[in-house]
């Protein structure tokens, strides 16, 4: 069986969903696939109120933003086909992809593809880092906020970025004891509002410390920590053990990029954006003119920027097929303006540097 | 302590019907449609397999079907990603040896 689409969107997170909504509303025939049973990507597990621009969902819970986008997609009666529980497994030749539905393997043909596959969680090097009971922060959120199951009774959090801080708070809400947050840097990584919230509830944040080992035979029963000096070297004789039954790693994400590599998109390593990402221009188009990118797959950032990048990709993919459109241009102008203000100021520095690198080099290839 | 969350300040969990399944021959209960690994976890089981080369104990890590740490034998099918495979009534779940063996 083979399916035809003008714009094929991979991933139903905030980026892919926004891209699909925009492209379909402008008039392109869109097929969206996501490998989960529900649309929304990472947002379906985010119970906290979001930080972001006020025009775009600041102060709203992630789960509500997902719901809003789902409703918007459902209201589109023509042009948009959504196929859940379905993975895009490969790109072949020009404009052909393979998808795996619960029933069968199918071929998809497309004029443009927008890849919004999101990211995978990083692990960290320490002794016994593969013991049962060590989970990524996303996994903890999935287990707890989607399935209603606690990861354990006493948990150690590694990483004090916003994700580590927010998930620590969510763990408390679910009735799990958080024994502490370990952070290698001398200062807390995330926003102080999140840090103060968990500190007030008695959770120690141990900056300048790292995890040396996870302890236990068949599963975690504790962790050994130690102090780090200003060069991030372990300070001898400062090891101590903390008793816990699980460990949560919140040490960053890496873009999910296999599909870009299959489509021969030129890649570039940009640490500020989480690692290898496809080169892309300001219109979210990669070095392969059929392939657009949006969201965390284009560089690790956040849901608000994923939505905006997705809107730009959807509008530009439409225009590349149907010619210039003032409606599409307005969507792009509005989104680009919002992105600029979101990435302004000192907290946006790293992202701005990173984005300058991915968008500059494409001109020369 | 029960690992299942009974009360939550923000969320309500809609669960499927209660079903039974076996793990290593032992009868367990879980809710239809939740991932097999989640049902096992709620039943206090987090050792899901041993690594093929060094025989190290492994549980799930990513819970979104990316890292392959949770692969088990389900209804005879080896290398099933239990963190994203929904639980169904009467399933037979077992730990697998190494990469598993596919009968010809
Ligand atoms: C704990 C935590 C807290 C956060 N807090 C905030 C916050 O307060 N504010 C904020 O703005 N952002 C926040 N974020 C970040 C935000 O959630 C992400 O940046 C955003 O979800 C990225 O959107 P996306 O669409 O790129 O990817 P995702 O949301 O990851 O969606 C990608 C989707 O694509 C699917 N997929 C991947 N590959 C395939 C394939 N081959 N075939 C089919 N489907 C596929 C995935 O299963 C997934 O559903 C937080 C993230 C975390 C983990």
């Amino acid at each position: 069986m083979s399916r035809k689409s003008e714009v094929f969107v991979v991933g139903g997170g905030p980026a892919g969903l926004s891209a699909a909504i925009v492209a379909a509303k402008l008039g392109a025939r869109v097929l969206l696939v996501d490998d989960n049973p529900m649309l929304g990507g990472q947002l379906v597990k985010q119970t906290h109120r979001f930080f972001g621009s006020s025009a775009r969902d600041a102060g709203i819970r992630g789960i509500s933003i997902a719901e809003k986008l789902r409703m918007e997609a459902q209201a589109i009666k023509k042009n948009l086909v959504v196929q859940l529980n379905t993975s895009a497994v490969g790109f072949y030749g020009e404009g052909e992809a393979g998808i795996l539905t619960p029933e069968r393997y199918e071929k998809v043909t497309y004029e443009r593809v927008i890849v919004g596959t999101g990211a995978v969680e990083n692990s960290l090097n320490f002794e016994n880092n593969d013991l049962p009971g060590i989970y990524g922060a996303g996994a903890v959120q999935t287990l707890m906020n989607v399935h209603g199951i606690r990861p354990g009774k006493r948990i150690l959090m590694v990483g004090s970025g916003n994700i580590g801080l927010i998930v620590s708070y969510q763990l408390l809400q679910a009735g799990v004891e958080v024994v502490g947050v370990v952070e290698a840097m001398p200062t807390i990584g995330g926003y102080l509002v999140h840090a103060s919230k968990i500190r007030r509830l008695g959770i120690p944040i141990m900056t300048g410390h790292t995890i040396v080992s996870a302890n236990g035979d068949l599963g975690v029963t504790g962790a050994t920590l130690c102090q780090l000096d200003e060069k991030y070297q372990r300070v001898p004789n400062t090891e101590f053990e903390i008793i816990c039954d699980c460990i949560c790693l919140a040490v960053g994400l890496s873009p999910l990029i296999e599909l870009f590599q299959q489509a021969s998109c030129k890649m570039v390593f940009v640490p500020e954006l989480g690692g290898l990402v496809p080169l892309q221009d300001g219109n979210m188009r990669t070095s392969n003119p059929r392939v657009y990118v949006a969201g965390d797959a284009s560089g690790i950032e956040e849901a608000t920027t994923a939505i905006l990048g997705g809107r730009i990709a959807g509008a530009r993919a439409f225009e590349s097929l149907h010619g210039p459109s003032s409606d599409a241009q307005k969507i792009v102008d509005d989104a680009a303006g919002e992105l600029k203000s979101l990435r302004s100021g000192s907290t946006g520095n790293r992202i701005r540097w990173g984005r300058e690198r991915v968008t500059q080099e494409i001109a020369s290839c | 302590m029960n690992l299942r969350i009974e009360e939550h300040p923000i969320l309500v969990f809609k669960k499927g019907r209660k079903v039974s399944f076996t793990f290593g021959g032992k009868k367990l209960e879980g809710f239809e449609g939740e991932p097999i690994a989640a049902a096992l976890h709620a039943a206090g089981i987090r050792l899901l397999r041993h690594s093929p080369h060094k025989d190290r104990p492994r549980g799930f890590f990513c819970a979104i079907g990316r890292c392959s740490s949770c692969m088990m034998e389900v209804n005879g099918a080896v290398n099933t990603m239990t963190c994203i495979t929904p639980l169904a009534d009467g399933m037979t779940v077992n730990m697998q040896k190494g990469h598993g063996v596919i009968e010809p």
Side-chain angles (χ1 to χ4, degrees):
Chain A
M1 203 174 133
S2 158
R3 296 182 195 231
K4 268 203 175 83
S5 63
E6 277 183 319
V7 177
F8 175 41
V9 180
V10 183
L17 200 44
S18 304
I21 289 170
V22 163
K25 277 192 177 165
L26 287 169
R29 279 179 297 108
V30 180
L31 170 66
L32 168 71
V33 299
D34 191 282
D35 50 12
N36 288 291
M38 211 209 298
L39 287 172
Q42 294 298 316
L43 294 180
V44 305
K45 45 194 102 149
Q46 288 165 14
T47 48
H48 61 283
R49 292 182 203 282
F50 265 49
F51 40 91
S53 79
S54 52
R56 196 144 306 272
D57 304 328
I60 300 181
R61 296 188 200 283
I63 41 179
S64 315
I65 303 175
E67 185 57 28
K68 208 169 113 188
L69 289 171
R70 270 200 296 271
M71 304 279 274
E72 209 181 331
Q74 260 166 25
I76 301 174
K77 292 293 174 231
K78 54 174 197 185
N79 287 345
L80 177 60
V81 176
V82 175
Q83 176 77 44
L84 295 173
N85 294 307
T86 296
S87 303
V89 289
F91 285 162
Y92 310 97
E94 286 291 285
E96 274 179 24
I99 58 170
L100 196 59
T101 74
E103 292 80 35
R104 62 179 87 81
Y105 183 78
E106 294 179 25
K107 186 168 107 177
V108 171
T109 58
Y110 59 83
E111 303 295 326
R112 298 288 178 267
V113 61
I114 301 173
V115 181
T117 42
V120 275
E121 283 186 281
N122 298 337
S123 183
L124 192 69
N125 280 337
F126 57 89
E127 200 180 321
N128 286 333
N129 68 357
D130 59 345
L131 268 188
I134 301 175
Y135 309 113
V140 164
Q141 278 197 310
T142 307
L143 192 67
M144 186 167 75
N145 296 346
V146 180
H147 305 300
I149 300 169
R150 299 179 184 93
K153 296 169 190 147
R154 285 170 60 88
I155 195 163
L156 174 71
M157 179 65 66
V158 181
S160 74
N162 281 323
I163 294 187
L165 298 175
I166 288 166
V167 174
S168 294
Y169 186 70
Q170 293 177 358
L171 281 155
L172 289 173
Q173 286 180 313
V176 181
E177 185 187 345
V178 182
V179 293
V181 180
V182 191
E183 171 59 62
M185 292 194 302
T187 51
I188 292 168
Y191 295 169
L192 278 181
V193 277
H194 298 306
S196 316
K197 204 160 154 183
I198 64 168
R199 269 190 168 152
R200 275 199 300 273
L201 294 163
I203 300 178
I205 302 179
M206 295 169 268
T207 52
H209 280 78
T210 194
I211 176 167
V212 178
S213 66
N215 309 327
D217 293 325
L218 294 175
V220 172
T221 56
T224 301
L225 310 182
C226 82
Q227 274 177 34
L228 292 174
D229 64 20
E230 56 292 348
K231 292 192 180 107
Y232 295 95
Q233 302 301 309
R234 291 178 187 175
V235 180
N237 305 320
T238 58
E239 289 89 3
F240 62 100
E241 189 178 6
I242 280 194
I243 303 297
C244 56
D245 61 3
C246 47
I247 298 170
C248 180
L249 301 183
V251 290
L253 298 147
S254 302
L256 204 60
I257 48 158
E258 288 86 345
L259 291 175
F260 301 107
Q261 293 173 318
Q262 290 188 22
S264 308
C265 298
K266 292 220 168 60
M267 308 296 291
V268 56
F269 188 81
V270 185
E272 290 84 358
L273 300 182
L276 264 186
V277 288
L279 280 183
Q280 54 205 262
D281 63 16
N283 295 322
M284 309 307 284
R285 197 176 210 173
T286 69
S287 63
N288 177 340
R290 279 179 190 273
V291 184
Y292 288 72
V293 58
D296 279 353
S298 70
I300 304 298
E301 230 177 314
E302 46 189 57
T304 31
T305 50
I307 291 173
L308 295 165
R311 292 179 67 82
I312 294 177
R316 289 305 194 209
F318 169 82
E319 284 191 309
S320 74
L321 293 169
H322 296 274
S325 133
S326 55
D327 289 345
Q329 187 60 43
K330 179 160 191 329
I331 290 170
V332 172
D333 289 342
D334 290 352
E338 264 188 74
L339 278 175
K340 198 166 169 202
S341 79
L342 276 171
R343 289 171 180 154
S344 66
S346 58
T347 45
N349 276 345
R350 279 173 61 81
I351 293 290
R352 277 205 312 280
W353 294 327
R355 297 222 63 88
E356 272 166 31
R357 275 197 57 200
V358 283
T359 49
Q360 265 168 11
E361 291 181 24
I362 200 163
S364 59
C365 78
Chain B
M1 179 170 103
N2 179 6
L3 289 179
R4 296 216 183 251
I5 302 168
E6 308 296 346
E7 256 174 79
H8 193 283
I10 299 165
L11 297 168
V12 263
F13 301 102
K14 287 182 232 113
K15 283 285 175 188
R17 66 184 174 113
K18 209 175 228 173
V19 294
S20 51
F21 65 106
T22 63
F23 167 68
K26 206 174 129 205
K27 196 170 151 192
L28 297 173
E29 282 183 334
F31 293 97
E32 188 172 55
E34 67 184 3
I36 298 168
L40 287 169
H41 187 92
I45 292 155
R46 56 181 188 173
L47 172 61
L48 304 183
R49 67 168 188 149
H50 287 89
S51 67
H53 297 295
K54 298 202 167 157
D55 201 33
R56 291 179 61 84
R58 290 281 164 81
F60 69 84
F61 174 73
C62 79
I64 52 168
R66 302 272 180 263
C67 77
S68 303
S69 187
C70 67
M71 295 205 288
M72 303 178 78
E73 187 189 299
V74 177
N75 291 342
V78 296
N79 299 324
T80 302
M81 282 196 262
T82 54
C83 78
I84 50 166
T85 305
L87 182 69
D89 196 23
M91 270 182 166
T92 309
V93 181
N94 286 308
M95 283 205 223
Q96 70 181 47
K97 279 236 175 319
H99 293 297
V101 183
I102 298 174
E103 298 294 340

